[in-house]
């Protein structure tokens, strides 16, 4: 983020459009973005006021009603107000930061800083660094002090036109199925806190309302170990995509998470509160980073808390748990994904029981649904299916293009994993390109990637290439989100070219993908590192450079990339190509010793490599067993064009010949005749890396 900021020399009322009397219509048209004539600083100050007033109140419904009464129907008015408040909170944070050594808030900074979109877009750490540099290099602080009175006067006038009626703080929130009668909940959480203090008398002596609030929250999470980071992450700003395809940090308060819980779950406060809970025997530490709520306290609390509080606390727990899920390309986490999912799954089920989906704000529903969709990356088929169903239930009646695309992509992937390619294609029926919206256009790019993968699954490589090459970014200055599409596009094209035998071209595209990954845009490619490293290594193998392939793979393994299993198998393949048989075998032992998770393709490559190692060492009994296992694994794939099958059969024939089983060898060779025509078909000629060289080896031996 650039720290170069210009100071405006003349901040008159006229320049801020304050030369005329401020009206409620002016204020509301600014917040709902129905007027484009207001200056940037006018908008900035109005949003600042909105955030300042709203910090103590949750519901924006009164403001929505006022806006509609003033302006009539405004499309997406609620989302516009939420967005204005989010930006206002950023400016509120900037004012607080620069006013640390001042007795009064230096609101004049709102009139001094130029290029507001920069300050609104970037992460907190970035704008803090930029402000620190400005304070050292310019007289920005003096200007802010001089203009604070002007800004304060303006802020007072705007406040006259904005008000928030205090509704009951814990209104009933929920899903489609609601058990029992929903009662009105008292303002504030007084009843809940009093009940917790009754359940755990030790807390009463400390007088800790924070401890009571956290106890309630914990009781609405799953009855499993709880990582402290789940609370940190769920209650802190998380990275999300902007409508321009860039990255912004969104505050959990925007979704309805209690300000008290946000404060309690901040690192310093949480440490103190957890210490109090431990001293009262409410929690037990399982490790340095995990603890578990006492079952006795949990059961008594859930049984004694008023039924009217369930809906509120269920939603609080769901928002917090779902936000702990890292989004692909935006974040990474070392947390146990299965443990996170256990809490997400539990809070979803509780919310279904006690809540009504129509009472949750659209912004919260979409964010929770997207979090749930992201969580499907980390689990088995059953949860992938459940995640899609939960996301659909959460977004019923909402017209959100990005949500639709994400759902379609997940449905497509699920069908493809289940072998239902026709249904996978139907799931991607939306053919719009969305070029008018950079975020949607990038999201559509990931839909294009799914289309291409469907074609590859059917060995339709030409069609896959055409689909991929049809997508282009909206401009030469790619957004961060478009970068992720380009990364996947170049990677998959590189793999297709290797399948077809164009190894030099394949390497060129894979290196482009690698360059994108190394371009700093605040993106995280950790989940794709293994795939790229293996693709590069496979291409180097085909280019007869196994040493370069080995170097590439060892670098990925040292970086602790995900999917270590396939990296180790590919590394052993490189060692085999260099005739380092003993080292290759020892490397493969790590797969079983470390109990690494293997995908279908990993198991196929492992069986083929084990067969080759046994074969060249004349361990023909073992070799035949592994070749048979490889053939069994191969039946789960379409992408072979008969060539892989033919190579395995030739290998089995060679084994049978060495064993003197000539009749069985002859019958196996008869199967080869039926495959010759298929082997010449257009498709993946070099699907499994190393088999081309192995075929040459067999031909030389015979």
């Amino acid at each position: 983020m650039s720290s170069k900021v210009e100071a405006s020399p003349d901040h008159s009322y006229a320049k801020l459009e304050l030369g005329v009397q401020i009206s409620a219509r002016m204020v509301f048209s600014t917040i709902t973005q129905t007027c484009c004539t207001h200056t940037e600083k006018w908008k900035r100050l109005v949003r600042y006021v909105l955030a300042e007033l709203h910090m103590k109140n949750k519901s924006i419904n009164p403001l929505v009603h006022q806006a509609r009464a003033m302006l009539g129907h405004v499309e997406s008015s609620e989302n516009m107000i939420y967005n204005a408040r989010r930006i206002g909170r950023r400016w509120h944070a900037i004012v607080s930061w620069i006013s640390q050594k001042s007795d009064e808030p230096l609101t004049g900074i709102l009139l001094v800083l130029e290029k507001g979109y920069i300050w609104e877009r970037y992460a907190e750490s970035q704008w803090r660094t930029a402000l620190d540099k400005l304070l050292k290099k310019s007289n920005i602080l003096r200007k802010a002090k001089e203009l604070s009175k002007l800004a304060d006067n303006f802020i007072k006038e705007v406040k006259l036109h904005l008000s928030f009626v205090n509704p009951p703080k814990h209104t009933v929130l929920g899903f489609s199925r609601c058990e029992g009668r929903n009662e009105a909940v008292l303002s504030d959480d007084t009843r809940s806190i009093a009940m917790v203090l009754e359940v755990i008398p030790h807390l009463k002596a400390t007088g800790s309302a924070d401890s009571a609030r956290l106890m309630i929250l914990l009781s609405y999470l799953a009855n499993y170990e709880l990582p402290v980071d789940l609370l940190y992450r769920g209650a802190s700003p998380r990275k999300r995509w902007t409508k321009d395809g860039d990255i912004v940090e969104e505050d959990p308060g925007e979704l309805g998470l209690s300000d008290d819980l946000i404060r309690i779950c901040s690192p310093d406060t949480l440490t103190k509160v957890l210490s109090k809970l431990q001293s009262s025997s409410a929690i037990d530490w399982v490790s340095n980073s995990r603890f578990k709520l006492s079952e006795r306290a949990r059961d008594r609390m859930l049984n004694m808390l008023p039924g009217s509080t369930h809906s509120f606390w269920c939603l609080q727990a769901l928002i917090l748990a779902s936000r702990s899920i890292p989004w692909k390309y935006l974040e990474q986490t070392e947390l146990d994904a299965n443990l996170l999912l256990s809490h997400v799954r539990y809070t979803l089920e509780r919310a279904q029981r006690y809540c009504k989906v129509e009472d949750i704000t659209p912004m919260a529903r979409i964010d929770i649904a997207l979090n749930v969709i992201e969580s499907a990356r980390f689990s088995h088929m059953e949860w992938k299916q459940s995640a899609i169903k939960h996301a659909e239930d959460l977004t019923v009646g909402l017209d959100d293009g990005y949500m639709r695309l994400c759902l379609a992509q997940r449905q497509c992937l699920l069908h493809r994993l289940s072998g239902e390619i026709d249904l996978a294609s139907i799931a991607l029926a939306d053919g719009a390109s969305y070029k008018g919206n950079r975020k949607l256009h990038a999201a559509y790019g990931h839909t294009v990637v799914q289309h291409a993968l469907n074609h590859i699954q059917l060995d339709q490589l030409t069609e896959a290439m055409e689909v991929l090459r049809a997508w282009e970014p909206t401009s030469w200055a790619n957004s961060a989100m478009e970068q992720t599409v380009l990364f996947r596009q170049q990677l998959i094209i590189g793999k297709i070219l290797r399948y077809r035998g164009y190894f030099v071209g394949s390497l060129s595209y894979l290196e482009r993908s690698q360059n994108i990954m190394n371009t700093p845009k605040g993106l995280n490619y950790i989940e794709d590192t293994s795939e790229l490293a293996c693709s590069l290594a496979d291409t180097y193998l085909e280019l007869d450079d196994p040493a370069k392939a080995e170097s590439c793979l060892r670098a990925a393994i040292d970086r602790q990339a995900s999917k270590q299993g396939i990296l180790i198998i590919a590394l052993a393949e490189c060692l085999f190509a260099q005739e380092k048989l003993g080292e290759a075998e020892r490397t493969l032992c790590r797969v079983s010793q470390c109990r690494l998770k293997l995908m279908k393709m990993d198991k196929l490559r492992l069986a083929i490599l084990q067969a080759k190692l046994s074969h060249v060492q004349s361990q023909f009994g073992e070799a035949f067993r592994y070749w048979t296992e490889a053939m069994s694994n191969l039946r789960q794939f379409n992408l072979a064009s008969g060539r892989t099958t033919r190579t395995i059969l030739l290998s089995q024939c060679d084994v049978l010949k060495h064993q003197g089983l000539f009749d069985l060898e002859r019958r196996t060779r008869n199967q080869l005749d039926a495959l010759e025509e298929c082997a010449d078909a257009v498709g993946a000629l070099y699907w499994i890396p190393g088999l081309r060289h192995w075929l040459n080896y067999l031909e030389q031996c015979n």
Side-chain angles (χ1 to χ4, degrees), residues 642-651 672 675-676 679 695 699:
R643 292 177 179 273
T644 306
T645 305
R646 177 175 177 270
T647 303
I648 293 176
L649 287 174
L650 281 171
S651 302
L672 285 169
L675 289 171
E676 292 300 326
L695 186 58
E699 291 172 350

Side-chain angles (χ1 to χ4, degrees), residues 207-223:
S208 176
D210 285 352
S211 298
R213 288 189 180 93
L214 185 59
M215 276 288 296
I216 298 172
L217 176 69
L218 297 180
S219 69
Y220 282 86
L221 293 168
N223 190 21

Side-chain angles (χ1 to χ4, degrees), residues 553-570:
L553 291 165
R554 289 194 185 279
I557 292 171
D558 290 342
R559 289 195 301 268
Q560 296 295 309
S562 59
K563 301 177 183 176
Q564 290 277 307
I566 186 56
L567 289 173
I568 291 174
I569 293 169

Side-chain angles (χ1 to χ4, degrees), residues 51-118:
E52 185 178 50
L53 289 177
H54 197 263
M55 290 178 73
K56 297 180 181 179
N57 303 277
K58 297 295 183 297
S59 177
I60 65 166
N61 287 336
L63 192 62
V64 173
H65 295 320
Q66 290 178 51
R68 289 173 179 169
M70 183 71 60
L71 306 173
H73 175 71
V74 177
E75 186 176 352
S76 303
S77 59
E78 188 174 6
N79 288 336
M80 293 294 187
I81 293 171
Y82 271 118
N83 187 55
R85 186 186 63 175
R86 177 185 63 79
I87 295 173
R89 285 187 171 184
R90 168 56 55 84
W91 287 111
H92 200 278
I94 289 173
V95 170
S96 298
W97 177 258
I98 205 167
S99 306
Q100 293 178 88
K101 297 181 180 180
S102 174
D103 295 334
E104 299 290 336
L106 298 179
T107 53
I109 193 68
L110 300 170
L111 306 181
V112 175
L113 295 178
E114 301 291 346
K115 300 179 181 177
Y117 64 92
I118 295 179

Side-chain angles (χ1 to χ4, degrees), residues 298-342:
R298 172 192 176 86
D299 292 342
R300 288 188 63 190
M301 195 178 325
L302 289 175
N303 290 332
M304 296 177 67
L305 282 173
S308 56
T309 65
H310 288 330
S311 58
F312 172 78
W313 287 106
C314 281
L315 183 59
Q316 296 293 292
L318 176 57
I319 291 172
L320 187 129
S322 68
R323 283 174 56 80
S324 69
I325 299 296
W327 283 27
K328 187 172 183 179
Y329 299 120
L330 293 181
E331 299 175 308
Q332 74 176 88
T333 178
E334 297 179 358
L335 293 177
D336 183 340
N338 290 327
L339 190 54
L340 292 183
L341 289 181
S342 67

Side-chain angles (χ1 to χ4, degrees), residues 592-604:
S592 56
Q593 289 172 352
C594 300
R595 298 182 180 180
L596 298 174
K597 182 179 179 181
L598 299 180
M599 308 298 286
K600 289 191 299 183
M601 172 58 76
D602 307 341
K603 293 176 182 178
L604 173 59

Side-chain angles (χ1 to χ4, degrees), residues 493-495 497-512 536 538-540 542-544 692:
I493 290 176
K495 293 171 74 171
L497 290 174
R498 178 175 63 78
Y499 295 160
R500 299 294 299 274
Y502 302 113
F503 304 130
V504 174
S506 170
L507 182 60
S508 174
Y509 274 93
L510 293 174
E511 287 176 339
R512 292 182 201 176
L536 281 166
D538 293 344
T539 300
Y540 283 129
E542 299 293 1
L543 289 169
D544 299 317
R692 181 171 65 93

